Amino acid sequence: MSPSLPAESGAPQPLIGIGPVRHTRLRPVRHAFAYRSYFLLLPMRRLAAAPVPALRRNRFGAIAFHDRDHGDGRADALAWFDELLASEGLRADGEVWLHCLPRVLGYAFKPVSFWYGHRADGSLAAIVAEVNNTFGERHCYLLAPPPGGRLAFGQTLQATKVFHVSPFCAVGGDYRFRFLRTDLGAPGAPGGRTVVRVDHHDADGALLQTSAAGELAPLTPARIRQAFFGVPLMTLGVVLRIHWQALQLWLKRLPLFRKPEPPRRFVTR
């Protein structure tokens, strides 16, 4: 871990990642954009054991994290995650890392967050992709090892799309996830970087290609100021960009799909 954070020796530390978000639609017309963003990568068990002064948790801050923005909205998001895995016959008794957008000046919109549940030996037990749409709905995709198999960074993982996100995409096909880390398994190591790719395929093949990447650094007051002033009003900007891109797609005369009822089950595996 970086020596710049005053913490217990060897304890995982909350991180901030700064980098690009990319989105490409391949058909029926090509439409692509990219913008600079940042995210938090939080060791939830370490934070449950001892708070970190740099992280404004469940209180107002320029950049803050609120548990109720995740899972079923309860005051302890980690407890929700542990209960979810237990209900699916899984157990992550090691660190649980949450990759998410923060609240910025009290405002949050998180299109997708990722939970990485590790076993005590450091191996991955499960990944949960937590998706929010602009209608105030949330759904989770649980990515778990196949029977007798294992989960690892770099694999391509699939989940059937069952949740409405965009009026320009039907609810159908599948998502293909790929999670990459270049810090050699030690989050926060010097030179650490993470990349998440989520592609949407339908019956005709690849439709959307998206990614979020960032250089990882310890969450310190200086890094928070860098992110806050480098990308002003970031979470509000996410919502404005969603609507701006939707307008452009509408002007390109892409067909619209009616929003269906959300799936009955909160979690899809």
Side-chain angles (χ1 to χ4, degrees):
M1 294 301 155
S2 170
S4 62
L5 261 175
E8 303 93 329
S9 176
Q13 300 303 316
L15 308 170
I16 189 166
I18 301 176
V21 170
R22 304 182 189 279
H23 186 290
T24 301
R25 184 184 187 102
L26 302 174
R27 51 185 168 79
V29 295
R30 185 177 177 86
H31 181 77
F33 60 89
Y35 59 87
R36 185 172 173 82
S37 185
Y38 58 87
F39 58 88
L40 302 177
L41 188 57
L42 304 177
M44 299 299 287
R45 295 207 192 285
R46 185 265 188 265
L47 293 175
V52 172
L55 179 65
R56 304 282 291 185
R57 184 171 186 179
N58 297 326
R59 53 200 174 112
F60 182 83
I63 291 177
F65 170 78
H66 285 223
D67 285 75
R68 69 176 180 269
D69 295 334
H70 296 276
D72 59 6
R74 70 178 72 177
D76 185 346
L78 177 60
W80 165 80
F81 180 78
D82 283 338
E83 289 178 17
L84 167 61
L85 262 58
S87 70
E88 296 288 340
L90 301 168
R91 183 181 179 189
D93 52 357
E95 190 54 86
V96 174
W97 290 86
L98 174 57
H99 173 153
C100 66
L101 297 185
R103 284 193 175 215
V104 179
L105 295 177
Y107 181 76
F109 180 67
K110 310 190 180 195
V112 61
S113 304
F114 302 99
W115 294 80
Y116 304 99
H118 293 261
R119 301 184 184 89
D121 63 3
S123 61
L124 275 170
I127 299 173
V128 171
E130 184 182 81
V131 182
N132 293 284
N133 63 23
T134 54
F135 300 94
E137 299 169 339
R138 179 178 300 160
H139 188 75
C140 295
Y141 296 93
L142 174 61
L143 309 173
R150 61 188 295 271
L151 207 59
F153 288 99
Q155 290 177 333
T156 297
L157 307 171
Q158 290 188 221
T160 301
K161 181 181 178 180
V162 298
F163 180 63
H164 177 83
V165 176
S166 166
F168 300 98
C169 288
V171 175
D174 62 74
Y175 288 122
R176 303 188 184 187
F177 300 88
R178 196 173 184 209
F179 304 92
L180 303 171
R181 277 218 314 252
T182 60
D183 55 7
L184 301 180
R193 177 177 171 80
T194 183
V195 180
V196 177
R197 290 198 56 171
V198 183
D199 298 339
H200 179 202
H201 289 234
D202 63 12
D204 296 318
L207 176 63
L208 299 175
Q209 297 174 336
T210 68
S211 68
E215 304 292 336
L216 301 173
L219 185 70
T220 63
R223 293 287 185 177
I224 289 173
R225 288 192 297 270
Q226 177 189 6
F228 181 78
F229 290 108
V231 188
L233 301 178
M234 187 266 291
T235 50
L236 177 60
V238 169
V239 175
L240 293 176
R241 288 187 186 99
I242 287 172
H243 289 90
W244 170 244
Q245 298 300 331
L247 175 61
Q248 294 189 67
L249 292 174
W250 181 77
L251 291 173
K252 291 180 179 181
R253 300 182 181 276
L254 265 70
L256 292 169
F257 296 90
R258 186 181 300 274
K259 188 184 93 65
E261 289 297 314
R264 293 185 178 181
R265 291 198 61 187
F266 184 55
V267 179
T268 298
R269 180 173 180 176

